[in-house]
Amino acid sequence: MTHNTAGGCQTIAATVVVSGPQIVSVDSHGAGGQGSYVSVSTPDIMITVHDRRAMKVYAGVWSTFAYAATLLPQSRPALTEQRAERNPGIVVAAFGQDDARGVYRPDQRDLRIRLGYLTWVVRDMKAFADLAGQWEVARQLGEIILPPLPPL
């Protein structure tokens, strides 16, 4: 939630529907100190993870639902409408412990993964494999690049 200067607030929640092969890249900056980060990007979304706690949450939810993803169809087209020339872009700065959860919906034959205010509707195994695979790469890179967690 973001507060505005007039005393109110704004909350943006977005849903991303994915199916078929996904273009996903992992990039990093830094060597384990302050300001280091790992970014996971698709053509329209960039999630930049700034600490190991956030990486555990973001990468962990994808690995948690690996079994549920086996219940998805191998591939199928996305159900989308052409409402604009381009999709909106989304940038997320991930710090700490965002809410992460997911559910397989047998009636829809899809998997919903929610990370903070971003919900992924995964419609097939190919999309899941591409995204989950790159989140695993990001997790491994985060063990090297991201600053260690402070002691509790």
Side-chain angles (χ1 to χ4, degrees):
M1 180 169 16
T2 304
H3 296 279
N4 66 32
T5 57
C9 68
Q10 295 181 358
T11 301
I12 298 171
T15 301
V16 181
V17 180
V18 294
S19 64
Q22 300 296 302
I23 300 168
V24 187
S25 64
V26 177
D27 300 292
S28 65
H29 171 77
Q34 194 70 4
S36 298
Y37 61 81
V38 176
S39 293
V40 177
S41 304
T42 67
D44 298 313
I45 300 165
M46 181 173 71
I47 300 172
T48 301
V49 182
H50 294 272
D51 60 53
R52 290 186 188 181
R53 183 170 287 119
M55 182 59 77
K56 182 177 180 181
V57 170
Y58 277 73
V61 75
W62 290 95
S63 63
T64 297
F65 286 93
Y67 174 76
T70 66
L71 303 172
L72 296 170
Q74 279 290 82
S75 65
R76 66 178 167 164
L79 301 174
T80 60
E81 299 176 25
Q82 186 67 36
R83 294 182 181 226
E85 190 66 31
R86 280 259 318 129
N87 285 325
I90 299 170
V91 176
V92 176
F95 293 90
Q97 184 80 29
D98 286 348
D99 182 45
R101 63 180 90 176
V103 63
Y104 173 73
R105 301 183 316 166
D107 57 324
Q108 301 291 319
R109 296 185 68 212
D110 67 20
L111 176 61
R112 286 186 171 248
I113 293 178
R114 182 170 180 180
L115 289 156
Y117 293 106
L118 187 59
T119 301
W120 299 79
V121 179
V122 184
R123 295 188 36 84
D124 61 36
M125 287 176 63
K126 181 59 180 155
F128 181 88
D130 288 348
L131 288 160
Q134 290 305 300
W135 274 107
E136 176 57 21
V137 169
R139 185 196 64 75
Q140 292 174 14
L141 188 57
E143 290 294 319
I144 299 165
I145 299 295
L146 296 175
L149 293 172
L152 295 175

